[in-house]
Amino acid sequence: MKLPNMLNAAQRKAKANYIYENRINQKIFSGKKYYIRTYGCQMNVHDTEEIKGLLESVGFTESKNINKNDLIILNTCAIRENAHNKVFGFLGHLKHLKKNNPSLIIGLCGCMAQEESIAKYIKEKHPYIDIVFGTHNISELPKMLEEYDGKQNINVDSKEGDVIEFDNLYKRDSNITAWVNIMYGCDKFCTYCIVPYTRGKQRSRKLKDILKEVTELKNAGYKEITLLGQNVNAYGKDLEEKLGFSNLLEEVSKTGMERIRFVTSHPWDFTDEMIEVISKYENIMPYIHLPVQSGSNRILKLMNRKYTNEEYFTLFNKIKTKIKNVSITTDIIVGFPGETEADFEKTLNLVKKCEFDGAFTFIFSARENTPASKMKDNLSLEEKNNRLQKLNKLINTYSKEYNLKILGTIQKVLVTSISEKDNNKVAGYTENMKLVNIDAPITTIGKIINVEINDAKSFSLDGVIKK
Ligand code: SAH
Ligand code: SF4
Ligand code: F3S
């Protein structure tokens, strides 16, 4: 069955059906092996689970080894320039692999593939990349492979189309914790950010579809889910039904899933109802990632973040007082165009006031077509690096403080794997999302256990099971 390139809802549904028909009736790629490498955020990690599911639905099997494959896919990220550099570095290696194995198909997808100039660049400079598909074209991968005729095929829709429900098509990395998309895209257009361009406008999934997925995961024995969106608190704003993230959280909580998490929260849409729901239900974890980006109102305005330093701090305090044992982490960008020493000091001051339990920090990276990429940026890279180091030093004192604070306490930990640091131990996450290496039997994997924290280093925690 061949399908033409198409965009509307009914046709997209037909594409999904195409996958199901193949999945059930014909494993047309039986015996073929694929390898996939993923860059970027949780969205990409979860998209990879979808891509794996799609490929296996048509007969492919996964290989963990880069050599001897029929298909290699790079699921890429575009958030900062170094994300690009990593991909182009790896492509050089793939080009070499292809010389020894000419029938190898190389595929590139993800946010980078969705960038306009990249598709053109690949066409001109990287002819050995066989297929390119955008974030809106993932469902078309099996069809692209079936129709591949040896000529480079770039399939990147600029419009996002409707949300497709793939039910249980995902090949998930874990059978204990799972990602659940609640929305795609982002409408916030922070001036530095490429995501609204690579992921398209916000599209929320329907409540009933999310609840169905969560219930199925619970019945399959999953212990924890993370609701995923670039901006989860804007959930539902684009739906006809009148509901928001607090309603969704409450409904998800009522499914009885043992642990519920969510990322990422934007301070702009964080309502009192959300705080109330999070504090009311025990299975909603007291952990909030609340990116602030900067402590300077001037910079926040230039970033189009739509809140002030003071508003952020008020929200921060409200969350801290109303949600028991809550942990808050953040993201911060240094060296945004025009950031002065005084602006940077304001960021340091806000960090001192909030004492974040952890933070991801970045140097501003100009991204194609974003408003910030056109702003005047005359700060040297050296100075940006100095600021980053200064900020990291401050942040580390607070994350260490957090670790010391919980030294000697009993924490509820969901054990997810063997410890990477010590194969005789297991590892898992506290309710506050801190990783702990635990002296406990392997049979605890998949269970929530009480752990006494007996060692707190700067970046990790050790513990022992408590009966
Ligand atoms: N949707 C989330 C964040 C997605 S990107 C939110 O709004 O909070 C993750 C983080 O990458 C951002 O919070 C920001 O700190 C950082 N980031 C995004 N674009 C960037 C850029 N152009 N340069 C440097 N850091 C950036
Ligand atoms: Fe990017 Fe801002 Fe959207 Fe986050 S909220 S994805 S930083 S545009
Ligand atoms: Fe990167 Fe795209 Fe995520 S740009 S951070 S993979 S949404």
Side-chain angles (χ1 to χ4, degrees):
M1 181 173 86
K2 301 259 182 203
L3 293 169
N5 266 339
M6 41 195 179
L7 272 176
N8 71 36
Q11 290 167 322
R12 282 198 177 262
K13 185 98 192 152
K15 272 182 201 159
N17 286 338
Y18 162 87
I19 292 152
Y20 284 120
E21 280 167 27
N22 278 284
R23 178 181 178 202
I24 295 158
N25 301 325
Q26 333 153 13
K27 297 277 182 189
I28 50 175
F29 293 101
S30 256
K32 301 270 187 203
K33 287 199 293 188
Y34 75 93
Y35 172 91
I36 181 160
R37 185 172 281 201
T38 311
Y39 302 84
C41 67
Q42 296 97 335
M43 301 277 159
N44 258 19
V45 171
H46 190 39
D47 280 355
T48 288
E49 294 183 329
E50 184 178 322
I51 293 169
K52 287 181 182 177
L54 284 170
L55 290 174
E56 299 197 9
S57 75
V58 290
F60 274 98
T61 47
E62 185 177 2
S63 144
K64 299 282 182 195
N65 183 339
I66 182 92
N67 298 310
K68 298 208 185 116
N69 291 289
D70 301 282
L71 170 68
I72 295 182
I73 293 183
L74 300 189
N75 190 5
T76 64
C77 170
I79 201 86
R80 284 167 291 273
E81 202 177 349
N82 59 358
H84 268 198
N85 298 345
K86 278 189 208 158
V87 170
F88 281 113
F90 190 56
L91 277 171
H93 181 57
L94 294 190
K95 188 177 175 183
H96 180 73
L97 278 182
K98 185 146 175 152
K99 268 197 194 128
N100 299 328
N101 174 14
S103 65
L104 170 69
I105 297 180
I106 298 177
L108 188 130
C109 63
C111 289
M112 226 175 105
Q114 197 67 42
E115 281 178 88
E116 253 172 59
S117 66
I118 291 287
K120 199 165 157 262
Y121 181 65
I122 285 174
K123 209 177 203 164
E124 286 164 7
K125 299 271 189 300
H126 295 274
Y128 59 90
I129 300 177
D130 302 293
I131 54 174
V132 178
F133 53 104
T135 56
H136 311 315
N137 303 83
I138 294 178
S139 65
E140 288 156 76
L141 174 61
K143 176 174 164 278
M144 287 179 81
L145 289 170
E146 191 183 343
E147 294 174 0
Y148 179 67
D149 59 3
K151 288 197 202 86
Q152 187 178 64
N153 181 3
I154 298 184
N155 186 6
V156 182
D157 284 343
S158 57
K159 289 245 23 100
E160 50 284 287
D162 298 299
V163 171
I164 304 177
E165 287 300 327
F166 283 116
D167 297 330
N168 267 323
L169 192 82
Y170 304 102
K171 182 189 178 194
R172 297 185 191 267
D173 292 339
S174 161
N175 53 12
I176 302 164
T177 62
W179 306 109
V180 174
N181 268 326
I182 62 166
M183 64 211 291
Y184 302 91
C186 180
D187 285 345
K188 287 284 187 265
F189 288 93
C190 303
T191 55
Y192 51 81
C193 185
I194 200 163
V195 173
Y197 309 92
T198 61
R199 294 267 165 182
K201 68 174 167 33
Q202 175 175 320
R203 291 97 68 209
S204 298
R205 275 178 79 193
K206 291 201 176 78
L207 176 69
K208 73 169 180 26
D209 294 328
I210 298 169
L211 293 179
K212 179 168 170 271
E213 186 175 345
V214 175
T215 306
E216 282 168 1
L217 287 166
K218 180 174 180 273
N219 294 341
Y222 279 83
K223 295 286 166 16
E224 177 178 294
I225 52 142
T226 302
L227 305 174
L228 267 188
Q230 287 298 349
N231 184 2
V232 288
N233 8 29
Y235 171 80
K237 288 194 168 177
D238 54 313
L239 290 175
E240 271 171 31
E241 279 172 278
K242 269 245 157 300
L243 58 97
F245 187 55
S246 55
N247 309 102
L248 170 72
L249 257 186
E250 187 155 26
E251 293 302 316
V252 170
S253 169
K254 286 180 184 161
T255 62
M257 175 56 74
E258 284 202 55
R259 281 183 161 195
I260 297 153
R261 300 186 184 279
F262 50 90
V263 275
T264 301
S265 304
H266 191 302
W268 187 356
D269 304 300
F270 214 110
T271 62
D272 288 352
E273 288 77 34
M274 281 172 210
I275 298 177
E276 207 166 289
V277 171
I278 300 165
S279 59
K280 182 169 162 196
Y281 293 95
E282 285 205 343
N283 57 350
I284 305 178
M285 293 298 101
Y287 167 68
I288 295 167
H289 185 58
L290 195 67
V292 64
Q293 313 298 0
S294 169
S296 152
N297 288 344
R298 199 179 69 80
I299 296 294
L300 285 170
K301 195 150 190 223
L302 287 172
M303 286 177 162
N304 191 29
R305 289 293 286 185
K306 301 251 164 62
Y307 53 82
T308 60
N309 167 332
E310 294 77 15
E311 281 161 349
Y312 182 91
F313 190 57
T314 305
L315 173 66
F316 180 94
N317 276 332
K318 208 191 285 176
I319 295 173
K320 279 274 178 186
T321 15
K322 300 228 163 120
I323 305 175
K324 220 171 54 193
N325 295 328
V326 73
S327 169
I328 302 179
T329 57
T330 199
D331 289 347
I332 296 171
I333 298 177
V334 300
F336 186 82
E339 184 191 72
T340 60
E341 191 59 40
D343 292 317
F344 177 62
E345 283 297 325
K346 288 186 178 135
T347 299
L348 294 178
N349 284 339
L350 186 67
V351 171
K352 283 180 196 154
K353 272 165 60 181
C354 294
E355 303 189 350
F356 293 108
D357 296 328
F360 297 100
T361 55
F362 311 99
I363 289 183
F364 167 77
S365 172
R367 309 314 295 134
E368 187 186 25
N369 293 331
T370 58
S373 70
K374 295 171 191 105
M375 294 178 192
K376 213 168 163 61
D377 176 15
N378 37 24
L379 202 66
S380 70
L381 186 60
E382 193 189 356
E383 182 48 34
K384 288 177 187 172
N385 268 316
N386 288 343
R387 288 185 190 174
L388 185 71
Q389 277 175 26
K390 204 165 168 189
L391 176 64
N392 284 345
K393 214 166 144 205
L394 183 64
I395 302 261
N396 291 346
T397 59
Y398 296 121
S399 31
K400 194 171 172 189
E401 222 165 77
Y402 173 89
N403 284 357
L404 287 173
K405 195 174 72 195
I406 66 166
L407 185 65
T409 63
I410 309 278
Q411 298 284 321
K412 281 199 170 70
V413 176
L414 170 59
V415 183
T416 49
S417 63
I418 301 270
S419 162
E420 277 182 20
K421 283 173 74 188
D422 180 347
N423 284 347
N424 295 315
K425 289 186 172 184
V426 293
Y429 288 89
T430 65
E431 295 197 328
N432 281 168
M433 194 65 192
K434 286 281 177 186
L435 180 68
V436 193
N437 294 298
I438 316 153
D439 213 338
I442 195 168
T443 47
T444 55
I445 293 179
K447 296 192 176 120
I448 295 173
I449 59 169
N450 284 327
V451 173
E452 183 177 340
I453 307 297
N454 57 14
D455 196 6
K457 304 190 180 73
S458 298
F459 298 106
S460 68
L461 294 167
D462 287 331
V464 58
I465 185 167
K466 264 290 193 232
K467 295 274 154 47

